[in-house]
Amino acid sequence: MAAPEPDPRPGPTSGPSSGPTSDSEPDTGPGTGPDTPPGTAPGPAPAARSGPGLGFGSGSGPRPGTDADSDTDADSDAPPGPEPLTVPSMSAGPDFGLRPWEMSDLPLVREAAQDPYIPLITTIPARYSDKAAEAFVRRQWDRAATGHGYPFAIVRSRDRRPVGAIGLWLRDLPQGRASIGYWMVASGRGQGVTRAALRTVTHWALHDLRVPRLQLFIEPWNTASAHIAEDVGYRREGLLRGWQQVGDERRDMAVYGLLNSDGPADGRAVAED
């Protein structure tokens, strides 16, 4: 797993394809549209903003704040905050797809809550209840509605069963970089799903959204997730000591990066499907 986006809730959290990855919580956006089952409570209907040039080198997207000492009118001159995002549905090869979160995904949250690691590094509730699971799904809708990222559920094509989550997080997009995090429940592991999902989101972010740099944060022991990242084209760049709170302790994280300008990796184009 690649670790997740910081918890949007107030207060501390308790807190594996591999387990979750880090800095991009796949606590992973408004799931409105045809995939939302009738009778569920959809998230806010955001304006579409999933096309090329997302928020970088254009007039849209998250922007740095203004100088607090400016003598101009703060209300009139302050730049707008992040715009709402529309989470698309995408194919991740013949066997898996990515789509917005739905209230019908509560069984996935239940299975993830029973995993010994996923609740430590995401905002999946450590003690499952329908109320807590519904709040988790609404947080995914809120992440897209507030422009902070694209949370996807990973779904198996043959039976439409959700088996994991992946998110593209845009907190640092004004600096030209974004993070990806993912997790997979036990029933989805060993089927190539994490690799397919990561390759799909990576290709989309680099080539459609034109993000200059993507990064993943993976605990050093998580060799399965590291191998997947490297296979997709990410390069290990270093070790961040005590980078993230996981459960009751600070943990080291290895950082993996991939640039839009990187050349072929292992004889194939970076992030090519």
Side-chain angles (χ1 to χ4, degrees):
M1 298 177 209
E5 184 77 357
D7 189 348
R9 302 169 300 180
T13 63
S14 59
S17 96
S18 46
T21 60
S22 193
D23 188 49
S24 44
E25 169 135 3
D27 198 46
T28 132
T32 57
D35 287 320
T36 303
T40 61
R49 190 164 69 89
S50 57
L54 167 64
F56 192 87
S58 69
S60 62
R63 305 176 188 175
T66 55
D67 184 353
D69 294 326
S70 172
D71 59 1
T72 58
D73 184 274
D75 292 333
S76 61
D77 291 347
E83 298 175 12
L85 304 171
T86 296
V87 179
S89 294
M90 298 188 287
S91 171
D95 299 320
F96 302 99
L98 309 177
R99 60 157 172 76
W101 280 82
E102 305 171 357
M103 274 302 171
S104 61
D105 293 331
L106 297 194
L108 173 61
V109 180
R110 180 188 295 274
E111 186 174 356
Q114 296 168 352
D115 187 274
Y117 187 58
I118 294 175
L120 295 180
I121 203 167
T122 73
T123 63
I124 285 285
R127 294 183 178 180
Y128 179 87
S129 70
D130 286 347
K131 181 178 180 180
E134 289 168 2
F136 174 87
V137 173
R138 289 192 177 94
R139 284 198 297 277
Q140 311 322 304
W141 295 344
D142 288 345
R143 290 179 189 277
T146 56
H148 288 97
Y150 292 95
F152 296 93
I154 306 172
V155 180
R156 196 162 55 200
S157 301
R158 70 172 185 266
D159 56 6
R160 298 183 59 81
R161 178 178 176 176
V163 293
I166 188 167
L168 173 66
W169 309 112
L170 308 179
R171 177 182 59 186
D172 294 328
L173 191 60
Q175 286 75 48
R177 58 183 179 264
S179 300
I180 295 178
Y182 49 84
W183 51 261
M184 195 67 48
V185 294
S187 62
R189 296 172 195 160
Q191 304 171 52
V193 57
T194 305
R195 182 176 285 98
L198 179 59
R199 191 177 298 282
T200 298
V201 174
T202 296
H203 186 278
W204 178 64
L206 291 178
H207 299 290
D208 290 87
L209 303 185
R210 302 176 187 169
V211 177
R213 171 186 166 86
L214 296 175
Q215 52 194 21
L216 305 172
F217 298 86
I218 302 172
E219 287 203 68
W221 60 262
N222 196 341
T223 56
S225 194
H227 289 158
I228 289 169
E230 291 168 350
D231 186 61
V232 172
Y234 289 84
R235 303 173 186 181
R236 178 166 170 152
E237 298 177 336
L239 182 70
L240 302 171
R241 297 182 301 149
W243 177 256
Q244 183 162 332
Q245 187 78 19
V246 178
D248 296 329
E249 60 182 312
R250 301 293 302 181
R251 299 273 187 93
D252 297 346
M253 290 286 172
V255 59
Y256 291 77
L258 181 59
L259 304 183
N260 211 320
S261 58
D262 279 342
D266 298 329
R268 66 191 299 177
V270 167
E272 186 178 83
D273 287 335

